[in-house]
Structures are given as structure tokens and as C-alpha cells.
Amino acid sequence: MHRYIPSTSAEQQELLKSIGANSIEDLFVDIPSNLRFKGDLNIGEGLSELELTKHIQELANKNESGLTCFMGAGAYDHFSPSVINHIALRQEFFTAYTPYQPEISQGTVTAIFEFQTMMSRLTGMEVTNASMYDGQTATAEAVALACENTKRSKIVVSAGLGKDTIEVIKTADETKGIEIIVAPLKDGATDIEATKALMGDDVAGLVVKSPNFFGIVEDLGALEAVAHSDKKSMFIVNTDPSSLGILKAPGEFGADVVVGEAQTLGIPMSFGGPYLGFLSVNKKLVRKIPGRVVGQSTDAEGNRAFVLTLQAREQHIRRYKATSNICSNQGLIMLMATIYMSLMGEQGLKEVATQSMQKAHYAYEKLVATGKFKPMFPGKPFFKEFALVADADVKKINEELLKSGILGGYELGKDYAEYGNGVLIAVTEKRTKEEIDELVRIMEAI
């Protein structure tokens, strides 16, 4: 038997015989032949452990690492204190599956309880669940929640969510019979008048993002009024939690559901994942949220203890009425965010947000002052990310920056033909004045 294949040929034949199949091919007869791959996979010969280690290292070495990052568009280079890994990688946490059972894992359920509590305070909401896969799937879950709660099948989503998030919503929710209507932007922010025209008494809610994909802080007060122009319609806000150290919480604007990507809370970018979604609601919706909620109680001896309080949407009860199959959480990544928030505290989160915003505005002003870059959305408030229109080709600019060890901005023209030679630049608290000045010097010279 091969070390990577758990059954021998003889065992496979025995298994096939026991179920009345003549070959492995017989197991796939229900799949039309024109959809099935024929031939051998091009994966090469088997390798020894030593050969495999060398091969993987060669592949890893092809990645650029150690770059000074000004790329955002959904993943951000914030500082992650080393103590996060020291705690998260302890063996009692670092398991293949989140050990929920409270009688054997008080540490895990306590961490979830703390995560829920801190995220609720940060978003200004009453309840947060144990976490979601990522910000995009959390947004899709919020859409399904709104439609289930209002018994309506239309939802309006702002184009400011970004194309990737809207595609995830469509993939996850259109199969449930939900109609996704995209509200346009005006000068980079949600077009309030156009959005008003899209709302109606058959719409379950309005989904916006602030700061939005282009970094602009949306007018949540005005958008809340649009969302709640019909009493049943719900207001869903996708937000970057790192911005909430200085920006007013969505809950204070009357949001019914707050979701987002929490990678910005001390979780490394890690080439794109795994990341961490969160979903917060007001108490009246607590029985409609996906996933799990940990609550505080006391044990038989009266000691403080934590238990899985609510899991009404998974495999136990209401199984056939559930609109979501989510029944788990991103346990380890949730733990990392919890450690980060515990370390930073209210003052630390405020400091991270303030530095990110101030440094982004410094970079913006320096680049515009070169005369080679123009604001794409002049006058619009932004947090740590901003869009510019370049005189030179953005791809060429990024190639030159890469030669100096700098990862440049997101090329908007790749996904947004209407924004032509636009570039989206993100600046976090990690960037120094010297790094920003070097970015400006190189971009100005091209």
C-alpha cells in the first residue's frame, strides 16, 4: 500500500464487489460522459518526502515576499503582533476542527464569547455570531436573512460593495430565488436618488459597504433613511472593523445587520486566506442568524461557565426551515482576531485607525501634488484607501515599483473599464513616512 493511498487494489476490488460495482468507473455512471475527464491527470510521478519538500520549496520561492505593500482592495497589510501566533498555535487551540463541546473546551467557547462581545461593541449591535467564513459569504448570508425575515425575494445592493462581493452574493443567493438588484454609484459613492427609485414594497432590504470598495466613507444616515423608507425593509451594512476605531458604528445609524471581513484585525494577508467573516444583528433577529452563539451561564457549582446557547439554524432543530447550511465558524482565525482586539483595546484600535487614515491622506496629497495623478472622486471622504487617475500606464507604474520592492496599487482598469487608468492605493499604520515618500518619488518619475 502506498503511503498516500489508504487502500490497496485488492481492498478496492473487495469494496466494489460488496456494492455490486465492477470498476471505479461504475461509481460515476450518473455523470454524463461528455462532462467527465478522460485520460490521465498531468500530475507527474510520485515523489519521496525529500523530493516533495524540495519541490514545494521551489514553488514557494516563486512568490515575492517582503514587499512594502500599498495594495488593498479587500486584503490589508496591518500589523499582527507576534503574540497572536504564540497563543493561537498552542496545541489546545490548533486542531483540525473547532472543539465546541463546552464540557471539554471551555477555552474555545470562552474565546468565542469574547469575540462576540467585542465585535458587538465595535459594530454597535446587540448580538454577534461565532464568526463566518469571510466577509463576502457573511454578506451573502445577510441577504438571505433579510429575505427570509421579510418574506420578500428582491434585494438592492450597492455597486460600492465591489464586483467580487456582488458575484459571491449572486452565486450564493440567486439559486434561492433571490433577485439581486445593483444600485449604481455617483462619484464613487452610492447614488442615493437612484437607489431610492429601486426600493419598493417588494424589496427585502438595502446592502451597502462603508468604507466602500473605493475607500469612500458612505453617507450611512441618508442610506438608512432610504432602506427604511418601507418599514419592513432592512438596512445591511458591510464594514471594515479597523475603521470603527474612529468612525461611528453602523449600529448607531440604525443598521439591522452588520457584516464584514475581519482580516484587518491582526490576521496576516497569507496570500488570500483563510480570512474571517462576522455577522452582527439586533436581538430581535437572534433566532434567524446562521451559525452559532455562545452564551454565559453557571455550572452545577455556581461557577461562571460558557455554553453553546443558540444553534437553531443548523442540524439540530428547524433543519428543514433553515435558509442557511452554515453551522460552523472560523475558530482559529476568530481566536486570532480576539487576541488582537484584547491586546489593542479601545485606545489601540483608535490609534491604528487614526494612523492609517492620516498616512493615507498624506500619501494622497503628495501624489496629487506631483501633478501626474488626479483624484478620481474629488471631495469624497475616505479612510485608508483612495482612487487616483494616472497619466502613465498603471501596469507600467506597478512594474517599476516592484523593481524597488514595492507592491503598488490595485489596477482598477482590469475590472472597471469605466475607470480607465485608475489605481486604488491603500495605506495602513505599518507604512512609514519614508516608505510613502519613496512610493511618491518612484511614481512621479515614471
Side-chain angles (χ1 to χ4, degrees):
M1 183 172 67
H2 193 279
R3 62 183 299 181
Y4 300 125
I5 300 175
S7 59
T8 64
S9 295
E11 289 170 333
Q12 289 175 14
Q13 290 304 315
E14 186 178 349
L15 289 167
L16 290 169
K17 184 179 178 181
S18 68
I19 61 174
N22 295 319
S23 67
I24 296 290
E25 286 294 304
D26 286 351
L27 301 178
F28 305 107
V29 293
D30 292 333
I31 302 175
S33 60
N34 62 321
L35 299 179
R36 290 166 59 185
F37 174 78
K38 296 180 177 62
D40 297 322
L41 291 173
N42 182 25
I43 57 175
E45 298 296 323
L47 300 175
S48 68
E49 181 176 349
L50 177 61
E51 292 169 331
L52 182 63
T53 302
K54 286 182 177 178
H55 177 62
I56 295 297
Q57 190 60 54
E58 287 170 0
L59 293 177
N61 290 341
K62 291 182 179 180
N63 290 317
E64 294 281 357
S65 59
L67 300 176
T68 303
C69 181
F70 288 92
M71 180 80 77
Y76 299 91
D77 187 26
H78 283 287
F79 178 61
S80 179
S82 62
V83 68
I84 292 177
N85 263 354
H86 284 289
I87 297 175
L89 295 181
R90 288 174 62 98
Q91 67 175 18
E92 55 265 50
F93 292 120
F94 199 60
T95 67
Y97 181 73
T98 304
Y100 287 115
Q101 291 70 26
E103 66 275 15
I104 61 171
S105 57
Q106 275 293 291
T108 295
V109 288
T110 302
I112 294 174
F113 180 83
E114 296 294 341
F115 170 78
Q116 294 171 175
T117 303
M118 288 188 276
M119 289 307 300
S120 294
R121 290 184 60 188
L122 204 55
T123 57
M125 305 299 284
E126 294 176 302
V127 180
T128 297
N129 75 0
S131 75
M132 311 291 289
Y133 296 142
D134 54 35
Q136 295 174 325
T137 52
T139 310
E141 290 290 332
V143 168
L145 186 159
C147 291
E148 194 278 339
N149 187 57
T150 60
K151 307 301 180 191
R152 295 173 176 177
S153 59
K154 288 184 181 179
I155 193 94
V156 176
V157 303
S158 166
L161 286 171
K163 286 192 173 180
D164 287 349
T165 299
I166 292 173
E167 285 302 312
V168 171
I169 293 172
K170 288 182 176 179
T171 301
D173 292 327
E174 281 188 337
T175 55
K176 299 172 183 173
I178 297 173
E179 182 182 351
I180 314 296
I181 304 167
V182 180
L185 301 180
K186 183 179 181 182
D187 299 327
T190 306
D191 187 329
I192 293 175
E193 292 303 318
T195 304
K196 277 182 187 175
L198 296 174
M199 301 299 290
D201 59 11
D202 58 345
V203 173
L206 170 63
V207 189
V208 301
K209 183 175 183 178
S210 183
N212 70 18
F213 178 80
F214 300 99
I216 293 172
V217 179
E218 296 269 10
D219 185 348
L220 291 184
L223 290 166
E224 184 271 339
V226 173
H228 288 154
S229 56
D230 177 89
K231 288 185 179 178
K232 283 186 67 176
S233 175
M234 297 175 66
F235 186 38
I236 300 169
V237 179
N238 179 312
T239 190
D240 174 356
S242 77
S243 72
L244 300 180
I246 55 174
L247 295 180
K248 195 172 173 180
E252 296 181 58
F253 287 102
D256 299 294
V257 186
V258 181
V259 294
E261 174 55 61
Q263 177 269 323
T264 55
L265 299 180
I267 300 166
M269 292 191 288
S270 304
F271 300 101
Y275 288 167
L276 175 68
F278 63 92
L279 187 148
S280 305
V281 297
N282 288 321
K283 192 180 287 186
K284 63 183 179 182
L285 293 171
V286 68
R287 292 187 177 277
K288 296 183 182 295
I289 61 177
R292 307 178 178 211
V293 174
V294 170
Q296 177 177 290
S297 184
T298 55
D299 65 14
E301 298 176 352
N303 299 314
R304 188 184 188 217
F306 299 94
V307 295
L308 281 177
T309 303
L310 191 68
Q311 41 190 325
R313 298 289 298 283
E314 56 144 346
Q315 64 262 47
H316 301 310
I317 61 174
R318 300 190 70 211
R319 180 176 181 178
Y320 299 104
K321 293 183 179 179
T323 55
S324 171
N325 291 319
I326 297 291
C327 62
S328 186
N329 78 319
Q330 287 283 60
L332 192 64
I333 313 301
M334 172 280 304
L335 176 66
M336 295 173 73
T338 305
I339 297 168
Y340 177 83
M341 289 189 283
S342 302
L343 288 170
M344 303 304 285
E346 184 176 336
Q347 191 58 40
L349 292 172
K350 183 177 180 180
E351 182 67 24
V352 168
T354 302
Q355 284 201 30
S356 299
M357 184 191 70
Q358 290 178 341
K359 291 178 179 180
H361 281 255
Y362 173 76
Y364 171 86
E365 290 165 7
K366 295 283 285 186
L367 285 167
V368 172
T370 65
K372 293 190 173 182
F373 300 90
K374 296 181 178 60
M376 182 170 282
F377 309 114
K380 291 292 184 182
F382 65 88
F383 172 51
K384 66 182 178 189
E385 201 163 19
F386 55 88
L388 299 173
V389 180
D391 280 354
D393 180 71
V394 176
K395 184 179 180 182
K396 183 181 176 185
I397 292 173
N398 280 343
E399 288 173 351
E400 290 300 316
L401 288 169
L402 202 56
K403 292 176 184 175
S404 299
I406 296 175
L407 183 61
Y410 178 76
E411 299 168 31
L412 287 168
K414 291 194 299 185
D415 293 315
Y416 296 89
E418 66 271 33
Y419 294 132
N421 212 24
V423 58
L424 188 64
I425 294 175
V427 187
T428 69
E429 84 285 2
K430 279 181 69 175
R431 300 285 74 83
T432 65
K433 180 176 181 298
E434 291 73 21
E435 289 171 340
I436 296 171
D437 289 342
E438 179 67 1
L439 172 84
V440 174
R441 185 189 68 76
I442 296 172
M443 291 179 72
E444 182 180 20
I446 298 171

